[in-house]
Amino acid sequence: MLTVRQRPPIAGESLMTTTTDNPASIVSCLRIGAGFHREEHAEIIERLSSLDARLMTYAATSTDLALSVKDRERPGQAITLECWVPRRTRLVATSSNSDLASALGEVRDKMRRQLDDAKSRREPQNIRSGHAKLSPSAWEDPPPGD
C-alpha cells in the first residue's frame, strides 16, 4: 500500500485539497488594479476564467490574484498577472502586447503553464506518472505455497 505524506500547513495557510467547500476562482480571487476601465472588468474576467480549472484545487481564502497594467495605451505597456497559492511564493505572468485582448490571452496562458508546473512539482513522482512504481521484488514470482 502506498502512503503519501504532506507537510503540515504553514501558519495562515489552509490545506490544499482537490475538493474544497470554497474553491478559488477568477471571480472570487482576482483584484483588478488601476488602469483598467470599469467597463473592461467583465471582459477581463471572461478572458481569464479558463484558469478556474487550475485554481479550483486551492481554497479561495488562501489564493490571491492581481492584475495590473503599466503605461496603459502607451509604447511599453505591460500587463502583469500575479498569483499567490499555498506552498508557492508567487507566480508571475507578463505581456507587453499593446492589444488588451491579446495581452490577457498571453498572461492567461503563461499563468496556466505555471500553475500546471507548480502542481506537477507538488505531486509525488509516482502519481505524476499515472502508476505506482514497482520494486524489483514485485516482479518476482511469489514463493511456493502463497
Side-chain angles (χ1 to χ4, degrees):
M1 182 169 171
L2 176 67
T3 304
V4 178
R5 291 185 186 187
Q6 292 183 337
R7 69 165 175 75
I10 297 171
E13 175 183 82
S14 67
L15 284 173
M16 181 197 60
T17 59
T18 54
T19 58
T20 180
D21 294 336
N22 186 16
S25 68
I26 290 295
V27 171
S28 64
C29 300
L30 181 65
R31 290 178 290 120
I32 300 174
F36 294 102
H37 305 291
R38 191 79 171 141
E39 308 83 52
E40 296 172 324
H41 288 202
E43 178 187 355
I44 290 169
I45 290 170
E46 181 181 333
R47 291 198 180 272
L48 298 178
S49 65
S50 66
L51 290 173
D52 286 349
R54 304 313 192 281
L55 295 170
M56 66 187 283
T57 59
Y58 302 99
T61 55
S62 61
T63 304
D64 191 26
L65 290 122
L67 184 70
S68 61
V69 62
K70 179 182 173 188
D71 296 330
R72 176 75 192 262
E73 298 173 352
R74 294 187 198 159
Q77 169 181 294
I79 304 259
T80 303
L81 178 62
E82 297 175 272
C83 180
W84 293 267
V85 293
R87 300 183 187 165
R88 301 293 306 155
T89 342
R90 177 177 77 148
L91 305 173
V92 180
T94 60
S95 173
S96 57
N97 197 316
S98 59
D99 178 58
L100 178 63
S102 298
L104 289 170
E106 281 183 35
V107 296
R108 177 198 61 220
D109 294 345
K110 290 177 181 179
M111 186 59 67
R112 182 184 302 131
R113 281 190 291 276
Q114 290 183 47
L115 287 165
D116 287 344
D117 290 347
K119 182 178 180 186
S120 66
R121 280 192 299 270
R122 201 175 59 238
E123 292 177 343
Q125 181 65 37
N126 62 332
I127 292 175
R128 277 187 266 167
S129 65
H131 57 81
K133 304 243 187 255
L134 296 175
S135 65
S137 63
W139 299 334
E140 298 170 4
D141 292 328
D146 279 356

